Amino acid sequence: MRRWLSYPYLVWMIMFITVPLLLIVFYAFTKQTDGGIVFSLDHFRQILDPLYLKVFLRSFKIAFISMLICLLIGYPVALFLSSKDFSQKSTYLMLIVIPMWMNFLLRTYAWLTLLENNGIFNKLLEFLGFGKVQFLYSEGAVILGTVYNFLPFMILPIYSVMVKIDESVISAAQDLGANSFQVLLKVMIPLSLPGVISGITMVFMPAVSTFVISRLLGGGQFALIGNIIEQQFLLTGNWGFGSALSFVLMVLVIISMFFMNANERNGKESML
Amino acid sequence: MSDYIIQLNNISKVFEDGFVALDNLNLSIKKNEFLTLLGPSGCGKTTTLRIIGGFEMPTEGEIVFQGQKINDLPPHKRKVNTVFQKYALFTHLNVFDNVAFGLKISKTPKNEIKERVREMLNLVNLQGFEKRQVESLSGGQQQRVAIARALVNRPEVLLLDEPLGALDLKMRKDMQIELKKMQEKLGITFIYVTHDQEEALSMSDSIVILNEGIVQQIDTPINIYNEPKNAFVADFIGESNIIDGTMLQDKLVHFCNKDIPCIDTGFAKNEKVDVVIRPEDIDIKNLSDAQWTGKVTSVIFKGVHYDITVESSDGFVWLLQNTDRQYEGDTIGMSVDPDDIHIMKKVIDL
Ligand SMILES: Nc1ncnc2c1ncn2[C@@H]1O[C@H](COP(=O)(O)OP(=O)(O)O)[C@@H](O)[C@H]1O
Ligand SMILES: [Mg+2]
C-alpha cells in the first residue's frame, strides 16, 4: 500500500548493509597486483595458517561456553520471572534491563576496575586473609565479561515466550499426572524452545565477534577473531585479509544458526 | 464407605481480593452419576471444578474422594481428569502424543499405550488422526482430542468445563449425544459444567443450580424444571413470567390487579411472594372468559411455537408460548390454571 513509506529504510539498507557486504566480498576475493585488481583466493589461504585457525577455534569456544553459561543462568531466571505467583515481576525485569541502558564500554570498564590487582575483589580477598588472585587477562575474565554483557539477551526472549504459555496447559499436564519436574521437562522446555533458540542466537552471534571484551579483559593474550579483524582494518591496513576473515566468520555463524533452527524443527517432531 | 464418590462439605472459597466465589457449598456425587453444575457466568462453576481437580485450595471445608479427605493432595495425584474450558492441548505434540501423555507419565507399557490410544481415538471418531498437529484440527476435533486425552487414563471421575462452549449449534447437539453415550458406556462419573440450561436438562442425572457462589437447588432435571425452588431457578431454567404478588390466604394470591386461585398453602397472610408462570402454561381465551387481557406487542416464530409478548393494562409484559399464531396490536385474553401457578418465597436481598 504505502510503499514509499519503506523507501527511507530501503535506502538505508542498501547504503549501510548491502553495499558494505558487497565491499567485503569484493575485498576478500581480490588482490592488488601490478596489472591491476585481480580475482584471488590468497586471503583465504592465509586464514588456513594454524595461528588464525586457533583464534577462530578460541572465538567459537569462548562464545559457546559463554552462551551455555547464559543459558544455564538465564533459563531458570526466565522460568522464575514468568511464574504467575510471582508478584514483583516488573521490578526484577527492570533490574535485568537497566544495565542494558548503560554503555557497553562503560559496563566492561567497570569489570576492569573490579577485577584489577588492586580492585575490589582482590582487596576483599586480602582482607579475608587470602592472597591476591590474577583475575584479569585470562580466558575466565573474557567469559565473565561476555556472560555479564549478554545475559539479558538470553533471559528476555525466553521470558517473553514463557509468559505467553497458557496457564491451563500446565494445569492439563498436572491433571494428567505430571509432577513439577515432568511439567518442566515435557511441557515448559519444549514450549519455550523458540525463546531458547532466539536467546542462543542473540548471545552467540555478538559473543563470537566481540573484540572489546577480549581486549579489555583478556589483554593481548586472548585475541579473538574480532580483534584480528579490527587489527587488519585499523592497524595493518590489510583490508583484503580483514574482509576474508569477516566473510569466513559470517559464513560460519550462518551455518551454525542454520543447524540450530533445523534442530528446532526436528525437535518439534521427535521431542520425547 | 459411603455411596458417594465425591463429597464437598461446607466448601467456601474467598479469593485474595476478598471476593467470595463459593459460599458453604455442599455436594455429594454418586458413582456413575452425570452431574451438571449450572449457573450464569461468574457464579463459581469453574472454581468448583478447580477445587475438585486440586488447582485451587478451598478457604474452608473438605473435599472427600471415596471416603478419604483429599484437601492436601496435589492435582497430579488425584484420580480425576479434566477437560479444560479451552481444551489446553499440547501444541508441541501431535494427536497421538497428546492422548498418550497421561499413559506415558504413568509408565504404561508401550504396546498398551498404542492399543489404548487407538481405542480412544476410535471412540471419539478420530481414527487416522494420530500424526496430525493439534493446531491443524478444527474446534470440534480439538475438543474430541481433549476428551480422549482425559478419558484414556480411565479416571474415576471426569471433570468437564463447558467442553462444548466453543462449538456451533449443530456440532454441540451431536457432541451432547456422543458424550452422554460415552459416559453410559464407560461408566465414569461426569461432573459437567455449563451455562446452557437446555444442555443441562438434556444430559444430566442431576443438576446443581449455582448463583453467586450459593447453591440454589440440587435435583433431577424434571424436578428442577417443574418444581423450581425459587424465582432465580425458575427464571434461569427456561423462560418464566415472574410477578410480584401477595398471598391473601391459602390457595389465593393477588397479582396483576386480580385475586387468583392457586394450590399453594403455608404462607403468612399478606406475605409478599414471587408468582412464577411458565410461558407455555398461559392459555389464550376469549376476552370475556379471561383472567387478564392485554395487547400483543410482538410475535416471533420459534419453529414449533410462537413467542408472544403481551402487555396487560397494569403495565406487566407477559411472555406466552403458543402454537396458534396471534397478531401484533390485537387485544387477547389470558388465563392460567391454578396448578400452573407457582408461588415462591421471595429471596431476601441483603
Ligand atoms: N484468582 C481469582 N481471584 C479473584 N477472583 C477470581 C479468581 N478466579 C475467579 N474469580 C472470580 O470468581 C468468580 C467465579 O469464577 P468462576 O468459577 O470462573 O465462574 P464460572 O461460573 O463462570 O466458571 C468470578 O466472579 C471470578 O471473577
Ligand atoms: Mg467458567
Side-chain angles (χ1 to χ4, degrees):
Chain A
M1 239 182 268
R2 300 234 183 273
R3 282 228 325 249
W4 52 269
L5 277 177
S6 65
Y7 287 176
Y9 177 66
L10 272 180
V11 171
W12 173 274
M13 246 183 49
I14 290 170
M15 277 182 38
F16 296 109
I17 297 178
T18 316
V19 170
L21 268 177
L22 290 176
L23 282 177
I24 285 180
V25 174
F26 172 78
Y27 280 113
F29 286 95
T30 57
K31 71 172 180 191
Q32 188 87 33
T33 62
D34 299 339
I37 293 167
V38 296
F39 176 80
S40 145
L41 291 176
D42 280 2
H43 300 311
F44 290 97
R45 237 164 260 137
Q46 199 180 342
I47 293 178
L48 293 177
D49 183 326
L51 180 73
Y52 295 116
L53 285 183
K54 228 174 92 185
V55 177
F56 262 106
L57 209 64
R58 183 192 296 147
S59 297
F60 274 83
K61 188 182 96 187
I62 286 183
F64 185 79
I65 293 173
S66 305
M67 180 271 284
L68 216 58
I69 295 174
C70 281
L71 184 61
L72 289 178
I73 299 174
Y75 194 88
V77 171
L79 192 66
F80 177 66
L81 282 176
S82 68
S83 82
K84 81 163 169 140
D85 320 312
F86 183 56
S87 52
Q88 288 143 322
K89 204 172 271 189
S90 47
T91 318
Y92 280 77
L93 271 176
M94 279 297 275
L95 286 178
I96 291 169
V97 173
I98 284 174
M100 292 166 73
W101 295 348
M102 213 163 41
N103 183 282
F104 179 78
L105 269 175
L106 284 180
R107 272 182 288 167
T108 312
Y109 269 114
W111 275 108
L112 199 59
T113 56
L114 287 176
L115 298 177
E116 261 175 353
N117 281 345
N118 294 316
I120 291 177
F121 285 138
N122 270 324
K123 286 257 168 68
L124 198 69
L125 284 180
E126 262 188 326
F127 178 75
L128 293 174
F130 299 99
K132 279 193 183 183
V133 174
Q134 170 70 35
F135 288 119
L136 274 182
Y137 313 130
S138 65
E139 209 168 79
V142 177
I143 290 174
L144 178 71
T146 312
V147 168
Y148 175 75
N149 273 306
F150 299 126
L151 186 58
F153 297 99
M154 182 64 85
I155 297 175
L156 293 178
I158 299 178
Y159 168 78
S160 69
V161 170
M162 275 184 179
V163 287
K164 284 198 215 98
I165 296 178
D166 192 349
E167 185 70 32
S168 68
V169 174
I170 296 161
S171 298
Q174 294 174 326
D175 186 77
L176 293 165
N179 58 30
S180 310
F181 179 68
Q182 288 164 320
V183 169
L184 178 70
L185 202 69
K186 295 191 168 227
V187 179
M188 282 313 270
I189 291 180
L191 284 178
S192 59
L193 212 56
V196 172
I197 300 283
S198 54
I200 288 177
T201 312
M202 286 177 71
V203 171
F204 187 76
M205 290 222 278
V208 81
S209 55
T210 182
F211 55 91
V212 174
I213 300 171
S214 47
R215 193 172 62 216
L216 293 183
L217 303 179
Q221 294 95 313
F222 289 93
L224 299 185
I225 198 66
N227 301 88
I228 307 285
I229 294 172
E230 185 201 15
Q231 219 174 51
Q232 298 310 312
F233 281 100
L234 300 183
L235 291 177
T236 332
N238 191 349
W239 286 34
F241 185 50
S243 297
L245 285 167
S246 303
F247 185 81
V248 170
L249 179 62
M250 210 160 59
V251 169
L252 287 175
V253 166
I254 290 173
I255 290 174
S256 30
M257 288 310 128
F258 176 80
F259 273 110
M260 284 278 335
N261 285 313
N263 261 338
E264 183 202 16
R265 249 172 281 125
N266 289 339
K268 223 178 166 174
E269 267 130 50
S270 66
M271 182 77 54
L272 308 165
Chain B
M1 223 163 53
S2 60
D3 312 339
Y4 297 115
I5 186 156
I6 289 182
Q7 285 169 292
L8 302 182
N9 298 330
N10 308 100
I11 294 282
S12 294
K13 176 71 197 181
V14 183
F15 282 109
E16 275 149 45
D17 56 3
F19 184 85
V20 181
L22 292 175
D23 188 359
N24 197 23
L25 179 95
N26 283 289
L27 191 56
S28 297
I29 302 151
K30 289 198 210 75
K31 202 163 163 45
N32 297 350
E33 189 172 356
F34 193 124
L35 178 119
T36 298
L37 299 174
L38 175 65
S41 177
C43 70
K45 305 181 296 290
T46 298
T47 306
T48 310
L49 279 200
R50 287 173 59 80
I51 284 175
I52 298 173
F55 301 106
E56 207 81 72
M57 273 294 212
T59 316
E60 266 172 62
E62 55 175 17
I63 315 149
V64 178
F65 184 83
Q66 293 177 329
Q68 241 142 13
K69 185 173 161 186
I70 56 162
N71 285 41
D72 298 324
L73 211 58
H76 68 272
K77 290 193 176 149
R78 298 196 182 187
K79 283 188 221 146
V80 299
N81 283 117
T82 310
V83 177
F84 289 86
Q85 197 155 8
K86 285 173 292 163
Y87 315 148
L89 296 177
F90 304 121
T91 50
H92 60 294
L93 301 176
N94 63 23
V95 171
F96 180 92
D97 289 330
N98 262 277
V99 178
F101 192 92
L103 296 176
K104 284 185 186 169
I105 295 277
S106 66
K107 306 237 156 44
T108 311
K110 268 222 163 77
N111 288 335
E112 193 187 333
I113 293 182
K114 253 194 184 147
E115 187 49 37
R116 277 168 70 174
V117 171
R118 201 184 55 79
E119 212 173 80
M120 201 41 74
L121 287 178
N122 278 346
L123 187 72
V124 297
N125 244 318
L126 283 176
Q127 49 274 64
F129 280 72
E130 284 87 348
K131 290 271 174 291
R132 291 275 292 271
Q133 287 305 123
V134 290
E135 276 167 328
S136 71
L137 302 179
S138 73
Q141 291 166 336
Q142 292 191 15
Q143 208 275 315
R144 282 179 283 165
V145 174
I147 292 174
R149 182 180 70 175
L151 276 181
V152 78
N153 305 292
R154 299 181 184 153
E156 303 272 356
V157 177
L158 186 68
L159 311 176
L160 303 100
D161 194 355
E162 311 212 15
L164 309 182
L167 306 185
D168 61 47
L169 189 66
K170 169 86 173 67
M171 180 108 72
R172 199 153 71 221
K173 295 280 174 217
D174 292 347
M175 281 305 295
Q176 283 174 8
I177 296 167
E178 277 185 53
L179 270 179
K180 182 73 188 162
K181 267 197 215 151
M182 266 182 231
Q183 189 256 340
E184 280 165 0
K185 185 170 160 194
L186 301 172
I188 293 177
T189 310
F190 271 37
I191 303 180
Y192 193 95
V193 160
T194 182
H195 63 260
D196 179 346
Q197 44 113 354
E198 227 180 289
E199 190 166 289
L201 289 173
S202 63
M203 299 172 81
S204 324
D205 297 324
S206 49
I207 297 178
V208 180
I209 310 257
L210 268 179
N211 187 35
E212 294 179 357
I214 299 172
V215 173
Q216 307 292 315
Q217 186 169 3
I218 305 179
D219 221 324
T220 61
I222 291 184
N223 286 347
I224 293 251
Y225 190 85
N226 288 337
E227 286 154 44
K229 237 186 184 159
N230 58 36
F232 174 83
V233 178
D235 191 33
F236 195 76
I237 293 288
E239 289 142 310
S240 279
N241 297 285
I242 300 174
I243 311 157
D244 288 329
T246 310
M247 208 61 190
L248 299 175
Q249 59 189 62
D250 278 355
K251 303 191 183 181
L252 190 66
V253 60
H254 177 90
F255 65 98
C256 288
N257 297 330
K258 289 270 162 100
D259 297 343
I260 304 292
C262 60
I263 56 168
D264 297 80
T265 56
F267 290 88
K269 194 169 160 65
N270 289 329
E271 183 174 346
K272 300 280 178 217
V273 292
D274 283 322
V275 180
V276 175
I277 304 170
R278 295 272 179 213
E280 68 269 24
D281 291 338
I282 301 172
D283 304 320
I284 296 173
K285 286 275 174 64
N286 291 326
L287 294 180
S288 52
D289 304 336
Q291 290 170 311
W292 304 274
T293 59
K295 204 165 140 192
V296 176
T297 51
S298 80
V299 180
I300 299 162
F301 184 55
K302 287 287 181 140
V304 179
H305 65 264
Y306 294 90
D307 268 3
I308 305 158
T309 52
V310 177
E311 192 173 335
S312 54
S313 54
D314 58 312
F316 186 77
V317 180
W318 301 73
L319 176 67
L320 283 64
Q321 284 171 349
N322 208 296
T323 48
D324 293 332
R325 161 140 216 206
Q326 304 295 322
Y327 293 91
E328 251 172 77
D330 287 359
T331 300
I332 61 168
M334 301 172 289
S335 281
V336 185
D337 291 339
D339 58 354
D340 285 332
I341 292 174
H342 308 283
I343 309 290
M344 287 165 195
K345 274 200 188 303
K346 282 250 181 226
V347 179
I348 299 156
D349 282 320
L350 295 174

